[in-house]
Amino acid sequence: GINAEYGGHPSPESMRRGAAVLRRWAHRPPSRGCATTPTGKPPPLGPEPLGLYQQVHGGLQRHGIVILGVGNLCLLSGYLMSDPVGLRAFCATGSSLGILFNLTRDPPVWPNVGWGAVFVVANCGMLLSLLLADPGLEFTEEDLLMYEQQVMPHSVHSRRVHRLLQQAG
C-alpha cells in the first residue's frame, strides 16, 4: 500500500506485488466466450458509424485552414475592388467563411463568430441597398460630359455625382 515512509508513494514491496499480478494476467489464456452487451447481443466489431452532423463537422475541422484561407482571399479581393456591389458580396462571403471556421474549432470561438455575424449583416444590408437602388441614371449631355472629363478619372461613382447634381438644382 501507500507508505508515509516513501513520501506517500507505493512501497517497493507493493510495487513487486503489483508487477507479479500483471505478469500472471499477461500469461492468461484467451477467453473462450463472447462478451455481450446488456441486451445480450455481441458488441459491434468496430466503432459506431458517425451521423451526418459528426461527419460534416469533422470534415470542416480537418479543412479549417483551407476554409479560413479562402475566406481571407475573399476579403482581400473585396477590399481591392472599386465596385461597391462586388466589395460587399466578397466581404460578406469572406466573413461567412470566417464564421464557419470559428464554429468548427473545439471549443467554438464565440466572440469571433459574433463579430463575423455583425460584418455579414452589415455587408448584406449594404449590398441589398445597392441592389435595390434606382438603376436608371439620366444625365443631360452637359452633365455627362462634365462627369466623364472631370469626375470619372477620380473614381467617384456616377450615382453619387447624379445625386449631387439633383440636389444642386
Side-chain angles (χ1 to χ4, degrees):
I2 305 274
N3 192 331
E5 181 181 331
Y6 295 101
H9 296 287
S11 67
E13 177 60 32
S14 174
M15 294 291 287
R16 279 191 288 281
R17 283 193 311 263
V21 168
L22 287 176
R23 278 193 293 278
R24 282 194 307 269
W25 274 88
H27 298 295
R28 240 182 61 186
S31 171
R32 298 194 198 294
C34 177
T36 60
T37 62
T39 60
K41 296 181 181 175
L45 295 177
E48 289 191 37
L50 297 176
L52 180 63
Y53 173 79
Q54 287 89 3
Q55 289 176 352
V56 170
H57 191 267
L60 291 173
Q61 273 189 322
R62 284 190 301 279
H63 301 293
I65 298 302
V66 174
I67 292 169
L68 187 62
V70 171
N72 285 331
L73 284 174
C74 286
L75 286 168
L76 178 63
S77 299
Y79 293 141
L80 295 176
M81 290 187 167
S82 59
D83 174 36
V85 172
L87 179 142
R88 298 298 179 173
F90 272 93
C91 287
T93 303
S95 293
S96 297
L97 290 173
I99 290 172
L100 184 62
F101 171 79
N102 285 301
L103 280 174
T104 58
R105 300 302 91 199
D106 197 20
V109 187
W110 293 112
N112 293 358
V113 170
W115 278 110
V118 168
F119 286 112
V120 168
V121 168
N123 281 307
C124 287
M126 292 304 295
L127 179 62
L128 189 61
S129 72
L130 287 170
L131 293 175
L132 294 177
D134 182 26
L137 297 179
E138 295 186 23
F139 284 98
T140 63
E141 286 288 326
E142 184 181 315
D143 290 343
L144 183 60
L145 184 62
M146 183 271 309
Y147 171 72
E148 289 174 347
Q149 291 177 349
Q150 297 177 12
V151 181
M152 197 165 84
H154 301 288
S155 299
V156 178
H157 199 273
S158 61
R159 191 171 310 283
R160 177 171 280 176
V161 173
H162 186 264
R163 194 176 318 130
L164 286 172
L165 289 172
Q166 283 181 333
Q167 288 174 353

